Amino acid sequence: MQSTIDTILAFRDARDRKQFHNPKDLATAIAIEAAELQEHFLWKSQEASHALAQTSEAREEFADIMIYMIQYADIVGIDIEKEV
Amino acid sequence: MQSTIDTILAFRDARDRKQFHNPKDLATAIAIEAAELQEHFLWKSQEASHALAQTSEAREEFADIMIYMIQYADIVGIDIEKEV
Amino acid sequence: MQSTIDTILAFRDARDRKQFHNPKDLATAIAIEAAELQEHFLWKSQEASHALAQTSEAREEFADIMIYMIQYADIVGIDIEKEV
Amino acid sequence: MQSTIDTILAFRDARDRKQFHNPKDLATAIAIEAAELQEHFLWKSQEASHALAQTSEAREEFADIMIYMIQYADIVGIDIEKEV
């Protein structure tokens, strides 16, 4: 996973975005992406959600949450590989 | 990170919880934990959130989100180490 | 407010949507719309959010939350005018 | 509903809380309370949520969301009776 983390942080730095990053907004970004993931299952049954989660859109929403999780961990100094 | 993932899934299975797990509820669980993380920063400034994120309670909230992320990935068949 | 409530529920019934409505999904719909409202203020300061909240988009997000609140209240039998 | 709105805003002012209120944090407060409402239905079916929503705890969560909605509307200048 370290190479993914490195890629995400390099992408962030290439776009000079770290200056906007703080735990408060990153926690909100995680929550917003989690809401977007939930949207895939809205009005659907728990059973139906298994198939719906396999769409590329739903898989990308999950990845979007992880991207903000990695950025949160970096800002706060959490070693996501070891501490979680 | 693989050993953490193994520990979390073993804990889940020891308590026989996998039967309740589905993408819809796990996405909601992620969102609920993200809201609990946000609560640490509510009414506080972006600047102040840096220090607030260092409390053990805030760090545990982050870990709680990761636990549900790992369980979501397992149910959906996402290799969190490779795919994200 | 009663006329607004009546309009929203009539709109729901005209589209035959009540059949999909249940407290679990309506609570999630409220949470999703609340996340969309938060998106308007992401990376922005608390001070800047006063002006950002005045855009028609942000005002519409607030209305969207209210629409699901009204539908939740109707399904659960909460008199939003009297009980809240 | 106007008397409820008046009561909530008087309660806020008596505790001198308006100074902390801004759209960004109020939107997050709404989202946090919505997550707490969702928690009542987690791992439960859509059908089961009808009965679960009738508990006083779930009804109070709904009221908590409305309280922050009313405070958001006041800060932003939305007439919740007329505009929504």
Side-chain angles (χ1 to χ4, degrees):
Chain A
M1 195 177 177
Q2 193 55 51
S3 69
T4 311
I5 293 174
D6 293 344
T7 306
I8 287 165
L9 299 181
F11 183 83
R12 175 197 68 186
D13 294 337
R15 301 183 70 166
D16 209 14
R17 276 206 200 137
K18 193 179 176 178
Q19 56 178 321
F20 303 110
H21 282 191
N22 61 79
K24 182 181 172 109
D25 280 303
L26 286 165
T28 298
I30 293 166
I32 290 169
E33 297 299 337
E36 290 184 10
L37 181 59
Q38 286 187 95
E39 207 164 355
H40 288 266
F41 312 122
L42 192 61
W43 316 121
K44 313 291 182 181
S45 71
Q46 293 161 315
E47 294 69 34
S49 74
H50 288 283
L52 291 164
Q54 296 301 337
T55 62
S56 58
E57 289 83 1
R59 292 175 86 98
E60 275 164 35
E61 291 294 358
F62 180 82
D64 286 345
I65 305 175
M66 268 308 294
I67 288 168
Y68 284 117
M69 292 289 283
I70 287 166
Q71 294 180 335
Y72 182 97
D74 182 64
I75 286 288
V76 173
I78 295 169
D79 187 330
I80 214 166
E81 293 264 35
K82 289 187 194 152
E83 286 180 66
V84 173
Chain B
M1 197 179 177
Q2 194 55 51
S3 70
T4 311
I5 293 174
D6 293 344
T7 305
I8 287 165
L9 299 181
F11 183 83
R12 175 197 68 186
D13 294 337
R15 299 183 70 168
D16 209 15
R17 277 207 199 136
K18 194 178 177 179
Q19 57 180 321
F20 303 110
H21 282 192
N22 60 80
K24 182 181 172 109
D25 281 303
L26 285 165
T28 298
I30 292 166
I32 291 169
E33 297 298 337
E36 290 184 10
L37 181 58
Q38 286 188 285
E39 208 165 353
H40 288 267
F41 312 123
L42 191 61
W43 316 120
K44 312 292 183 182
S45 71
Q46 293 161 316
E47 294 70 34
S49 73
H50 288 283
L52 291 164
Q54 296 301 336
T55 62
S56 58
E57 290 82 2
R59 292 176 86 99
E60 275 164 36
E61 292 293 358
F62 180 83
D64 286 346
I65 305 175
M66 269 308 294
I67 288 169
Y68 284 117
M69 292 289 283
I70 288 167
Q71 293 180 336
Y72 183 96
D74 181 65
I75 286 288
V76 174
I78 294 169
D79 187 331
I80 213 166
E81 293 263 35
K82 289 185 195 155
E83 287 180 66
V84 173
Chain C
M1 197 177 177
Q2 193 55 52
S3 69
T4 311
I5 293 174
D6 293 345
T7 305
I8 287 165
L9 300 181
F11 183 82
R12 176 197 68 188
D13 293 336
R15 301 182 71 166
D16 209 15
R17 276 206 199 137
K18 194 178 174 178
Q19 56 179 321
F20 303 112
H21 282 192
N22 60 79
K24 181 180 172 110
D25 280 303
L26 286 165
T28 298
I30 293 165
I32 291 169
E33 297 298 336
E36 290 183 12
L37 181 58
Q38 285 188 95
E39 208 165 354
H40 288 267
F41 313 122
L42 192 61
W43 316 121
K44 313 292 183 180
S45 71
Q46 294 162 314
E47 293 70 35
S49 73
H50 287 283
L52 291 163
Q54 296 300 337
T55 62
S56 58
E57 290 82 2
R59 291 176 86 98
E60 275 164 34
E61 291 295 358
F62 179 83
D64 286 346
I65 305 175
M66 268 308 294
I67 288 168
Y68 283 117
M69 292 288 283
I70 287 166
Q71 294 180 336
Y72 182 96
D74 181 64
I75 285 289
V76 173
I78 294 169
D79 187 329
I80 214 167
E81 293 263 35
K82 289 187 195 153
E83 286 180 67
V84 173
Chain D
M1 197 177 176
Q2 193 55 51
S3 69
T4 311
I5 294 174
D6 293 344
T7 305
I8 287 165
L9 298 181
F11 183 83
R12 175 197 70 187
D13 294 337
R15 301 183 71 166
D16 210 15
R17 276 205 200 138
K18 194 178 175 178
Q19 56 180 321
F20 303 111
H21 282 193
N22 61 79
K24 182 180 172 112
D25 281 302
L26 286 164
T28 298
I30 292 166
I32 290 169
E33 297 298 336
E36 290 184 11
L37 181 59
Q38 285 189 285
E39 208 165 353
H40 288 267
F41 313 122
L42 192 62
W43 315 120
K44 312 293 182 179
S45 70
Q46 294 161 314
E47 293 70 34
S49 73
H50 288 283
L52 291 164
Q54 296 301 337
T55 62
S56 58
E57 290 82 2
R59 291 175 86 99
E60 275 164 35
E61 291 294 357
F62 180 83
D64 286 347
I65 305 175
M66 269 306 296
I67 288 168
Y68 284 117
M69 291 290 282
I70 287 167
Q71 294 180 336
Y72 182 97
D74 182 65
I75 285 288
V76 174
I78 295 169
D79 186 330
I80 213 166
E81 293 263 35
K82 289 186 195 155
E83 287 180 67
V84 173

